[in-house]
Amino acid sequence: MRISTSSAQQTAVNSILDQQSKLQKTQMQLSTGKKLLTPSDDPAAAARSLDLNQGIKQTEQYQSNINAARQRLSLEEGVLQNATEVLHKIKELGVQD
């Protein structure tokens, strides 16, 4: 069986197009700084990435909740301190009479 010139040329063109496609993907990875451009590149890694992103968002929410609780506790501590001072002042005034 003979390999025709057009068949050899078509094989070469297909090979060039394949290499161009790989080059384009590599350039996209470099420009975006991401190894995974689409979930189909590596489905397992994409699933892990989603899990990690969800974990990060959950941790950020926990941190936000902690900060809000600390602010509230600080405010409540100030109010209780003022109430204690008022009660001490009342006690002092009551003892003086």
Side-chain angles (χ1 to χ4, degrees), residues 22-36:
K22 290 178 182 178
L23 175 64
Q24 181 183 13
K25 181 179 178 181
T26 302
Q27 287 174 335
M28 286 293 293
Q29 288 173 331
L30 287 172
S31 67
T32 61
K34 296 180 180 180
K35 183 178 178 182
L36 299 175

Side-chain angles (χ1 to χ4, degrees):
M1 177 180 229
R2 290 181 51 181
I3 299 176
S4 67
T5 305
S6 67
S7 175
Q9 290 174 345
Q10 187 61 44
T11 302
V13 168
N14 288 343
S15 177
I16 290 171
L17 291 174
D18 185 46
Q19 292 300 318
Q20 283 179 335
S21 174
K22 290 178 182 178
L23 175 64
Q24 181 183 13
K25 181 179 178 181
T26 302
Q27 287 174 335
M28 286 293 293
Q29 288 173 331
L30 287 172
S31 67
T32 61
K34 296 180 180 180
K35 183 178 178 182
L36 299 175
L37 298 175
T38 62
S40 62
D41 290 343
D42 186 353
R48 284 191 309 272
S49 176
L50 289 174
D51 287 343
L52 289 173
N53 285 336
Q54 183 179 5
I56 289 169
K57 288 179 183 177
Q58 190 174 27
T59 302
E60 288 172 348
Q61 183 62 51
Y62 289 153
Q63 191 63 43
S64 176
N65 293 348
I66 289 169
N67 290 336
R70 284 183 177 161
Q71 289 175 351
R72 290 178 187 149
L73 287 173
S74 177
L75 178 64
E76 290 171 5
E77 184 178 7
V79 169
L80 288 174
Q81 182 66 33
N82 289 341
T84 303
E85 290 173 6
V86 168
L87 289 174
H88 284 304
K89 188 68 172 172
I90 291 171
K91 181 180 177 184
E92 287 175 11
L93 292 173
V95 170
Q96 286 179 357
D97 288 88

